[in-house]
Amino acid sequence: MRSLRRKQKNIIKITIITLILMVFAIGCLFPFYWMILNSFKQPLDIFKVPVDIFTFDLTFDSYMAVFTYGDGLIWRAYLNSIIIATTSTFGTLFTSSLAAFAFAKLKFKGKNAIYSLFIACLMIPGQVTILPLFVIFANIGWINTFLPLIIPGVMINTYGVFMLRSFIVSIPNELLEAAEVDGCGYFRKYFQIILPLLKPSLVTLGLFTFIGSWNNYFGQLIYLTDQELITLPLLIAGLKETHMTGIEWGRIMAASTLSIIPIAIVYLKCQKYFVQGIATTGIK
Amino acid sequence: MKMSRRQKKENIFSYIFIGPQLIGFLCFVAFPLFFSIYLCFSYWNFIDLPVYVGGENFAAVFRDPIFWKSMGNTLIYICIVVPLTLLTSLILALLTNRKLPFMKFYRAAFFLPMVTSTVAISMVWLFIYQPYGGVLNTILEGIGISNPPHWLQDEFWARFAVSIVMIWLKIGYYYIIFDAGLKNIPTELYEAAEIDGANAFTKIKNITLPMLSSVMFFVSVMLFIDVFNMFNEVYIMTAGGPNYSTYTLSMYIYFYAFTEFDMGRAAVASWVLFALVGVVTLIQFKVKKRLVYE
Amino acid sequence: MKKSLKILSMLGAILVSLGGLSSCKNNTKTDEEGNTIVTVSLMNSTNENPGWLAQIDAANKVLESWGEKIRIETEIIMTDSWDTFYSKVASNMIGQVGGTIIRIAESHVPMMIENNQLQDITDVVNELKESGEYNNASFDGVAYSDSKYYGIPTGTQHMLLFYNKDKFDEYNLAHPSDQISYPSGDWENASTFSEIRDMASKLSSGEGASREFGISMGPYLAYAGMYSKNNGGYNIFDDNGELAIKTEAFYDVYEWFDALLKTDKSMPTTSDTSTSSAVDRFLSGNLAMIVDGVWQLHDFTTLTNFDVGVAAIPVGAEGLTSYTTTFVDKWVSLRNSRTAEEDKVVLKALQSAEALTALGKKSVGGFPIRNDCVENYVNTLDNGKLHEYLDTIIGGRETGVQVPYSTYYNSVDQRINQRMSSWITGEMTAREFVDYMDEVMRQGINGEL
């Protein structure tokens, strides 16, 4: 009898929690629903008031407009965005895990001083450095190439070092000592022991880097000029007009939906690792 | 002090390992930082070498009421965004910290906002906040609120409207961090408390919160940094208005650097921003020592 | 101490290596045939770019016919906002990359001259002026400073009152005893403020989301001078160069806006235009009248859902001349351009008859500054629909007033626009708002912003 009541109570509790969570989940998803809905709407229906959030009057006009914009410029934009995002992601994973390994497991002169400098970097607002950086890249002739969008991210990622270090610290020293007995050098320790264990954190960091680089409109705007170098955020900006009419809104919603798809796929694929990965993020 | 061979070797390898990041730090962080200090005291037209002007830029920034207003707004955003994001993501994590149907769906839903481009999604929010016939006000009218505010056009409500978008964007990330933190708490602690007859509330108060204190510290540091850097959401939704009520320090810097071509003033403002973040983080670290249970 | 010295010396080494690399930068670009390439930066705009690109194509042909070994390329900047456009201009200057000839709005010219960022092109302007082919007055204005010229107009554009004829007709059909006439297209005898207010309130109907509005006019600083002058006052500054905002004529204008916005609710507020701009509302038939620029003619005349009419800007009382704000975007050349001399030749080619004809054919850029091209531009406008309004459209050129742009204009403008909400929501009266405009302008003049 008592356990039955307890069971009942539990069911009520779970129902209430499910309701609350559903409300939040729908709140999180609604703007996306709205965006996708409007990308399929007849352009002028977007402005219709009161808003109509249930009618799916399917049309591919907006998508067609995006695909035909500038003779299929979108494929070029996809390709470029993928090149920039993947190279900077893999580059940053490599360099920051190397540095994180050194900071976590090796002893060297000036370690603490350098590490605190790195952590202080986390606090620097992007606006402080953007123009001086531009001066550097202009002077070495990197403007109008992908390099300024890739190299700084690869060469310095304090967040990545911070996050990966806290994971590596928790790897037991015995593992490394055992490897040393087997005659492993530093590089083999890194490749054979640290990297495999680091997989979940690397996936997490990788996803963050990928998203950041994928959506970096301002950087791409100031560093890229040629039409062949166009990226998705630039393309979306190109669809906008000085005065917006329904047609442009539809196109932008379509292009934004298209630009989210790759990240959403990557995210859903890595979700499993991802949760494990953040579990140990620089908390300690 | 003489180093052993082993130590020497370790030193060399360590520097090889941190080498790329160290070089990156010097080129892409240290140099730009020094350059921007230099700009604080200079007038620069982008073409000729910067000219030393002394404290002129500082005077211009500090006498500007808009600068103080944007400082104030940044503080208001902190007061709204930091506690609300922290609380909501913590509550969501507590609620999902049990066996529930649709777990995967919740995770994906909470996290999706973080994945998107702020620019595109801010435009969607413009439509949601539309005063007449927008989604939000239609709902509010539906539940009997006869005169819902004009969110983004209202001096009082605009900062809340913008904050909600900010919270919406960030919640998923901190939710997952809290979730992971909760999973790290040994279940034995709860079992022991149950034997002592503790109810759910005392368990949260006496076990969960103390055990989560270091996570909460991390979250609040990151949240402060997020708020200090708020730009895109505000820029697209309100352009800082109405009456500068949503204007942030980042926007102030952007306006002077890129619209007014006044780099000196922008550099001063960005150093103020840097100093603010620095001071806040230092205070947080000091507080951490006293409060965080380790 | 030793540590910091080490870091500093490393930094120095990096700087030296950067400096070394910078010296091997390539200089001017040339194409396969040995032509020097001059790059022109344009803002991305699917409406206008066909015009600018046609002009540049034609200018390339002209350059060839002149025997110049110069070719123009375009850099289209992927943005829709002037703010972002200027960030790209800034990076072009810093990096000496990208476009060296840029089309910028007048509002930025004084600041860029003050910053010494623009090339002195007085010789080009003098040559054009001496040819006698150009409207010489159009060269003056903001790009003329210390007896030097720093920019060439891309064309002149002015404001007009556009109206939806169908809405007027509908109203008259429904109210046979209380007819309204179309706004006047005569610049010497324009409709008065009270007539317009009457029309606007009659043409407004509905509530909330479905409200239809009578008229939209931006109560912004850029247009304030025009309305004040149309009300018998001054264009911001009086004849002695003194600030003339706190004058009755100016107050009256804002009282008039106030009545339209708050009493009659016949003018949309920022709440109404948050997602669909006034132009959108006009295009979709939700707005009966709109004060907007010549640049809209192209879009408005291709409309199919209603007939559009064109009228003069309203005046305060009968007998007053109607003035209209004129906007003159400029072609400028950056001072650190690597192709400084070639830029000048390109600027001339862009103003050649062939290039301006190509631009005018797409009805982009407003009225050309070259006299023999004006007719051609007008003919493009004369596409049946606009025929009866040609006199009104052209007439506005005679009564143009310029926005008093200055180095502090952008800051003042931003402050006034931000404060506007306090007036619209009723926290301050129209008079108080005008006083605020005066105060900010004074701060700007005194360099206190």
Side-chain angles (χ1 to χ4, degrees):
Chain A
M1 200 56 205
R2 250 190 90 184
S3 77
L4 198 72
R5 266 190 51 199
R6 201 164 165 182
K7 226 179 196 169
Q8 267 179 344
K9 227 175 128 187
N10 211 21
I11 288 175
I12 294 173
K13 203 163 112 190
I14 291 206
T15 322
I16 293 175
I17 291 176
T18 307
L19 271 177
I20 298 175
L21 290 175
M22 276 294 170
V23 169
F24 266 97
I26 289 169
C28 285
L29 290 178
F30 182 77
F32 294 97
Y33 169 73
W34 202 94
M35 184 167 101
I36 295 166
L37 177 79
N38 279 305
S39 68
F40 285 111
K41 264 192 186 169
Q42 304 284 355
L44 281 174
D45 285 353
I46 293 176
F47 289 119
K48 234 169 132 181
V49 277
V51 272
D52 182 357
I53 54 171
F54 299 111
T55 328
F56 256 93
D57 181 11
L58 223 62
T59 162
F60 289 96
D61 287 2
S62 301
Y63 284 92
M64 284 317 289
V66 172
F67 282 117
T68 52
Y69 175 73
D71 291 330
L73 217 51
I74 185 153
W75 302 115
R76 173 61 76 170
Y78 258 124
L79 183 72
N80 289 336
S81 277
I82 289 172
I83 291 175
I84 296 174
T86 41
T87 44
S88 40
T89 305
F90 284 105
T92 209
L93 290 183
F94 180 64
T95 58
S96 47
S97 59
L98 267 181
F101 171 51
F103 281 126
K105 293 290 177 195
L106 302 180
K107 288 192 195 74
F108 58 95
K109 257 180 139 179
K111 176 166 143 181
N112 287 336
I114 297 176
Y115 189 65
S116 354
L117 268 180
F118 268 57
I119 295 308
C121 276
L122 268 179
M123 296 181 271
I124 300 171
Q127 291 91 343
V128 183
T129 53
I130 188 147
L131 273 188
L133 273 179
F134 193 90
V135 176
I136 298 179
F137 292 125
N139 275 312
I140 54 180
W142 280 6
I143 307 298
N144 223 352
T145 66
F146 291 153
L147 293 172
L149 299 168
I150 297 171
I151 301 300
V154 170
M155 300 285 277
I156 179 83
N157 183 347
T158 40
Y159 181 79
V161 174
F162 180 52
M163 169 176 159
L164 295 178
R165 178 191 167 271
S166 55
F167 186 84
I168 300 174
V169 164
S170 67
I171 294 175
N173 282 333
E174 292 79 29
L175 272 178
L176 293 171
E177 279 156 17
E180 204 168 315
V181 174
D182 291 344
C184 278
Y186 292 102
F187 273 103
R188 273 183 64 195
K189 275 192 214 162
Y190 165 75
F191 279 112
Q192 292 185 346
I193 299 170
I194 303 291
L195 271 192
L197 283 172
L198 216 51
K199 207 167 157 192
S201 304
L202 287 176
V203 171
T204 314
L205 178 62
L207 191 72
F208 287 159
T209 319
F210 194 89
I211 294 170
S213 155
W214 190 262
N215 291 332
N216 179 10
Y217 167 68
F218 194 74
Q220 291 162 2
L221 176 84
I222 64 171
Y223 288 120
L224 305 178
T225 298
D226 289 355
Q227 189 97 100
E228 300 94 70
L229 302 182
I230 193 165
T231 60
L232 280 173
L234 292 177
L235 184 100
I236 294 176
L239 291 169
K240 282 170 77 180
E241 281 297 331
T242 19
H243 64 82
M244 302 281 288
T245 59
I247 299 159
E248 275 99 32
W249 277 111
R251 280 195 269 159
I252 286 167
M253 293 301 147
S256 309
T257 311
L258 289 172
S259 91
I260 289 174
I261 290 173
I263 314 182
I265 292 173
V266 173
Y267 167 64
L268 291 174
K269 285 259 173 228
C270 320
Q271 206 189 2
K272 193 182 80 197
Y273 287 115
F274 196 42
V275 175
Q276 287 175 25
I278 311 190
T280 38
T281 300
I283 289 164
K284 286 178 179 146
Chain B
M1 193 180 77
K2 239 192 122 185
M3 274 192 282
S4 71
R5 251 192 85 208
R6 200 199 120 89
Q7 252 175 331
K8 251 187 197 157
K9 200 176 151 202
E10 190 154 326
N11 252 330
I12 292 168
F13 270 97
S14 301
Y15 275 98
I16 293 174
F17 280 11
I18 64 165
Q21 292 273 329
L22 195 60
I23 294 171
F25 175 81
L26 294 174
C27 294
F28 306 130
V29 178
F31 170 71
L33 273 185
F34 280 107
F35 194 89
S36 78
I37 295 180
Y38 178 43
L39 286 180
C40 285
F41 299 95
S42 322
Y43 160 82
W44 186 37
N45 65 2
F46 300 141
I47 292 180
D48 307 305
L49 285 174
V51 183
Y52 178 78
V53 292
E56 221 173 76
N57 296 320
F58 288 88
V61 167
F62 291 132
R63 71 153 182 256
D64 187 352
I66 310 300
F67 168 77
W68 293 109
K69 180 131 194 187
S70 52
M71 288 270 273
N73 287 336
T74 306
L75 295 179
I76 293 173
Y77 281 129
I78 284 173
C79 294
I80 305 171
V81 175
V82 175
L84 277 181
T85 317
L86 205 118
L87 264 180
T88 340
S89 46
L90 178 61
I91 290 171
L92 288 178
L94 285 172
L95 287 178
T96 52
N97 195 28
R98 67 194 78 226
K99 265 204 151 37
L100 281 176
F102 316 119
M103 264 318 279
K104 267 202 164 156
F105 168 71
Y106 300 141
R107 280 245 169 81
F110 296 157
F111 201 76
L112 207 54
M114 206 207 144
V115 178
T116 50
S117 109
T118 325
V119 177
I121 216 72
S122 302
M123 291 197 275
V124 173
W125 278 94
L126 261 181
F127 277 88
I128 294 177
Y129 281 132
Q130 201 178 305
Y132 300 113
V135 180
L136 182 62
N137 279 0
T138 311
I139 294 172
L140 289 178
E141 277 163 13
I143 59 171
I145 296 167
S146 60
N147 240 333
H150 291 189
W151 302 101
L152 294 172
Q153 287 76 37
D154 188 297
E155 216 178 306
F156 178 76
W157 288 106
R159 49 176 78 106
F160 292 97
V162 170
S163 302
I164 285 172
V165 178
M166 184 71 185
I167 294 168
W168 177 84
L169 277 167
K170 294 287 166 195
I171 235 170
Y173 176 65
Y174 296 110
Y175 159 75
I176 289 185
I177 290 181
F178 275 126
D179 190 49
L182 285 174
K183 297 236 151 57
N184 282 350
I185 301 176
T187 41
E188 295 83 28
L189 287 176
Y190 291 108
E191 282 157 16
E194 231 156 276
I195 293 166
D196 293 346
N199 61 15
F201 189 72
T202 36
K203 271 192 282 182
I204 289 179
K205 196 181 136 219
N206 292 336
I207 301 170
T208 317
L209 292 183
M211 289 300 285
L212 273 185
S213 53
S214 71
V215 181
M216 273 199 254
F217 166 71
F218 171 78
V219 169
S220 60
V221 172
M222 294 310 286
L223 263 173
F224 270 92
I225 294 174
D226 284 344
V227 174
F228 279 122
N229 286 320
M230 259 168 93
F231 178 80
N232 272 334
E233 332 42 5
V234 194
Y235 187 71
I236 289 166
M237 290 195 296
T238 66
N243 200 7
Y244 292 107
S245 62
T246 56
Y247 210 65
T248 65
L249 219 42
S250 303
M251 295 181 71
Y252 186 86
I253 296 167
Y254 181 86
F255 177 75
Y256 279 102
F258 291 111
T259 308
E260 287 287 88
F261 295 167
D262 188 346
M263 272 315 289
R265 199 149 155 177
V268 171
S270 48
W271 270 88
V272 171
L273 181 60
F274 186 23
L276 254 180
V277 185
V279 168
V280 167
T281 318
L282 269 183
I283 293 172
Q284 283 173 317
F285 271 95
K286 287 265 181 265
V287 173
K288 180 196 177 190
K289 280 198 180 131
R290 307 178 84 203
L291 291 185
V292 171
Y293 166 92
E294 271 173 312
Chain C
M1 193 58 215
K2 231 178 128 189
K3 214 173 270 164
S4 55
L5 262 179
K6 238 187 222 167
I7 291 173
L8 272 180
S9 58
M10 279 179 87
L11 203 71
I14 291 163
L15 284 183
V16 169
S17 59
L18 283 179
L21 276 165
S22 70
S23 58
C24 60
K25 263 186 310 193
N26 56 336
N27 280 319
T28 52
K29 268 205 300 187
T30 48
D31 67 359
E32 316 80 65
E33 289 151 36
N35 294 322
T36 307
I37 290 178
V38 169
T39 314
V40 174
S41 295
L42 292 177
M43 188 194 283
N44 178 68
S45 159
T46 33
N47 297 343
E48 293 201 350
N49 279 358
W52 304 117
L53 293 175
Q55 182 185 19
I56 288 166
D57 264 352
N60 265 330
K61 291 202 186 89
V62 169
L63 285 171
E64 213 179 307
S65 71
W66 287 351
E68 296 282 353
K69 298 206 61 79
I70 301 171
R71 200 163 55 82
I72 314 172
E73 277 188 359
T74 41
E75 172 195 44
I76 293 177
I77 295 173
M78 289 306 217
T79 174
D80 62 315
S81 86
W82 283 106
D83 282 359
T84 353
F85 182 77
Y86 291 126
S87 6
K88 188 73 181 179
V89 174
S91 49
N92 282 3
M93 271 187 278
I94 296 171
Q96 279 190 285
V97 287
T100 52
I101 293 184
I102 297 169
R103 183 174 73 95
I104 59 173
E106 256 181 312
S107 56
H108 252 61
V109 175
M111 196 187 75
M112 290 183 77
I113 294 177
E114 165 107 355
N115 282 343
N116 196 9
Q117 288 161 329
L118 301 180
Q119 196 190 162
D120 172 6
I121 49 167
T122 312
D123 42 348
V124 178
V125 173
N126 282 340
E127 201 178 312
L128 294 180
K129 274 176 128 177
E130 279 156 23
S131 72
E133 302 277 0
Y134 293 86
N135 168 12
N136 285 356
S138 68
F139 293 105
D140 296 335
V142 291
Y144 183 63
S145 162
D146 283 341
S147 18
K148 283 177 194 148
Y149 289 97
Y150 295 92
I152 295 182
T154 59
T156 67
Q157 320 216 38
H158 56 265
M159 304 299 285
L160 295 166
L161 174 69
F162 298 94
Y163 57 94
N164 182 332
K165 281 171 85 172
D166 294 16
K167 293 205 113 183
F168 281 78
D169 298 344
E170 272 165 37
Y171 180 86
N172 286 340
L173 215 62
H175 303 83
S177 58
D178 178 32
Q179 302 251 330
I180 43 173
S181 53
Y182 298 138
S184 156
D186 182 353
W187 294 91
E188 286 306 326
N189 194 11
S191 302
T192 62
F193 287 174
S194 56
E195 282 165 3
I196 293 287
R197 184 180 166 187
D198 181 54
M199 292 174 204
S201 92
K202 284 179 176 160
L203 293 169
S204 305
S205 60
E207 275 309 314
S210 49
R211 176 134 181 106
E212 306 216 342
F213 293 95
I215 189 165
S216 165
M217 303 173 279
Y220 306 118
L221 182 60
Y223 310 128
M226 154 177 97
Y227 291 115
S228 159
K229 207 163 159 67
N230 284 2
N231 197 23
Y234 296 103
N235 178 19
I236 312 287
F237 292 97
D238 68 14
D239 301 336
N240 304 322
E242 295 291 324
L243 196 59
I245 291 182
K246 277 183 158 175
T247 54
E248 279 316 309
F250 207 99
Y251 282 126
D252 280 351
V253 168
Y254 276 80
E255 296 282 8
W256 176 55
F257 285 138
D258 198 78
L260 291 164
L261 279 165
K262 296 185 200 164
T263 319
D264 300 353
K265 296 195 168 38
S266 55
M267 183 150 107
T269 65
T270 41
S271 296
D272 301 300
T273 52
S274 65
T275 49
S276 53
S277 64
V279 176
D280 272 337
R281 282 178 177 269
F282 184 74
L283 289 171
S284 62
N286 178 274
L287 180 66
M289 294 179 271
I290 185 170
V291 174
D292 216 318
V294 169
W295 55 85
Q296 299 287 13
L297 280 170
H298 179 71
D299 279 14
F300 287 178
T301 48
T302 47
L303 274 173
T304 48
N305 46 340
F306 61 85
D307 278 336
V308 69
V310 184
I313 306 294
V315 292
E318 270 175 59
L320 289 168
T321 304
S322 170
Y323 294 92
T324 178
T325 306
T326 309
F327 294 98
V328 190
D329 291 349
K330 307 282 182 188
W331 291 115
V332 295
S333 160
L334 298 180
R335 185 170 61 84
N336 65 344
S337 165
R338 288 216 179 83
T339 50
E341 285 312 306
E342 288 86 349
D343 282 2
K344 290 184 182 175
V345 181
V346 168
L347 285 172
K348 269 186 273 178
L350 286 172
Q351 297 298 343
S352 65
E354 293 85 343
L356 288 179
T357 307
L359 176 71
K361 273 197 181 138
K362 308 271 181 194
S363 63
V364 168
F367 286 87
I369 56 161
R370 197 181 153 101
N371 299 327
D372 55 357
C373 295
V374 174
E375 203 188 320
N376 168 285
Y377 174 74
V378 172
N379 287 340
T380 348
L381 294 179
D382 187 7
N383 56 2
K385 270 195 167 181
L386 281 182
H387 184 75
E388 54 183 305
Y389 305 109
L390 277 184
D391 287 343
T392 306
I393 297 170
I394 299 167
R397 297 174 72 211
E398 308 298 322
T399 63
V401 286
Q402 287 182 331
V403 183
Y405 289 118
S406 54
T407 50
Y408 52 83
Y409 181 84
N410 289 321
S411 295
V412 171
D413 192 44
Q414 193 200 46
R415 279 166 169 79
I416 291 175
N417 290 343
Q418 289 278 353
R419 183 52 76 88
M420 206 168 280
S421 65
S422 307
W423 162 46
I424 289 170
T425 54
E427 276 163 53
M428 73 205 292
T429 63
R431 284 186 90 88
E432 282 164 351
F433 181 65
V434 171
D435 292 345
Y436 178 75
M437 290 173 88
D438 177 83
E439 184 193 324
V440 184
M441 273 301 272
R442 280 183 204 283
Q443 284 173 348
I445 294 167
N446 299 334
E448 287 164 5
L449 289 178

